[in-house]
Amino acid sequence: MDFGKKGATPSKQRICDHPNCDKEGLYRAPKDRTLREHYWFCLEHVQQYNKNWNYYEGLGPEQIEEEIRRDIVGHRPTWKVNDLYANRLKDPFDILGLGRRRPRPTSFSEQQKERPSLVTIEHLEAIKTLKLTPPITLDSVKKNYKTLAKKYHPDKNNGDKKAEETFKSITCAYRLLLKALK
């Protein structure tokens, strides 16, 4: 018994549950799959017990598979997605298995047609000219073009040559990005 500090109550020392061992049982190990009851072992015997213990012992392959599936969701109940709500969900990778994923391009050239790249120097300059920030979408290109075109249109700037040149560069940048995004 350990009386430790003055006024402290004596602590109860557990003895290792392994037969013929009189060391202190500091480490607990489950008795069965319910994990509600435990053995108390010393370090040497808990390591030995853990090495030999099999959680799935006595279960067939189907039962093991079911146990793993239930473990993924923390043994909580789950339900299939209701068709009423399935149409409201955005599932671009078809995680829910509803079969609404877009077909994958078969070649690199098809992939480029589907999603054009904006990484050329001309595209980067066009993005800078239209004062765009990522993500760059067709709507953002049109919105920024409209705003800048109104500001630098020659009719609004009384024939100012600098404004006219800016308007031309904005229009060229808009056409380039429009072509890339369509």
Side-chain angles (χ1 to χ4, degrees):
M1 294 208 172
D2 179 31
F3 291 98
K5 295 180 185 175
K6 188 176 183 181
T9 58
S11 64
K12 186 176 177 182
Q13 183 178 8
R14 286 191 176 98
I15 303 297
C16 180
D17 284 331
H18 193 272
N20 302 325
C21 183
D22 59 350
K23 294 181 184 174
E24 188 175 4
L26 297 173
Y27 307 97
R28 69 182 196 168
K31 288 186 177 183
D32 57 17
R33 260 196 305 280
T34 63
L35 308 177
R36 291 192 179 114
E37 294 182 40
H38 297 87
Y39 294 114
W40 289 90
F41 293 120
C42 63
L43 181 60
E44 177 187 345
H45 290 121
V46 79
Q47 289 173 338
Q48 181 183 0
Y49 182 83
N50 286 340
K51 188 186 280 186
N52 296 322
W53 191 63
N54 181 2
Y55 180 83
Y56 299 109
E57 187 175 327
L59 297 179
E62 295 85 16
Q63 293 168 316
I64 292 172
E65 185 67 33
E66 180 61 30
E67 185 69 26
I68 291 170
R69 277 197 200 115
R70 288 185 23 222
D71 196 39
I72 289 171
V73 293
H75 295 272
R76 292 183 302 272
T78 60
W79 298 269
K80 291 197 176 211
V81 176
N82 187 337
D83 288 338
L84 176 66
Y85 296 107
N87 293 331
R88 297 180 190 175
L89 299 173
K90 293 180 181 177
D91 187 15
F93 300 108
D94 196 30
I95 292 169
L96 300 174
L98 301 173
R100 292 186 289 178
R101 186 176 183 189
R102 292 188 325 183
R104 196 172 188 173
T106 55
S107 67
F108 182 71
S109 60
E110 284 182 35
Q111 192 174 3
Q112 277 187 319
K113 288 177 191 173
E114 189 175 301
R115 215 183 287 161
S117 175
L118 296 177
V119 292
T120 64
I121 294 173
E122 292 83 18
H123 288 116
L124 293 174
E125 288 176 5
I127 290 168
K128 188 176 179 182
T129 302
L130 289 179
K131 299 177 182 173
L132 293 166
T133 57
I136 297 167
T137 63
L138 190 58
D139 290 336
S140 65
V141 170
K142 287 179 179 181
K143 182 181 173 186
N144 282 27
Y145 169 72
K146 188 176 181 180
T147 304
L148 293 171
K150 282 182 182 179
K151 183 178 179 180
Y152 293 104
H153 196 277
D155 292 343
K156 195 165 187 172
N157 290 295
N158 298 327
D160 181 19
K161 291 290 181 187
K162 188 174 182 181
E164 187 177 334
E165 290 302 315
T166 306
F167 179 76
K168 286 180 186 177
S169 64
I170 290 168
T171 305
C172 288
Y174 172 70
R175 287 181 182 155
L176 181 68
L177 293 177
L178 201 63
K179 186 178 176 183
L181 289 170
K182 283 189 176 182

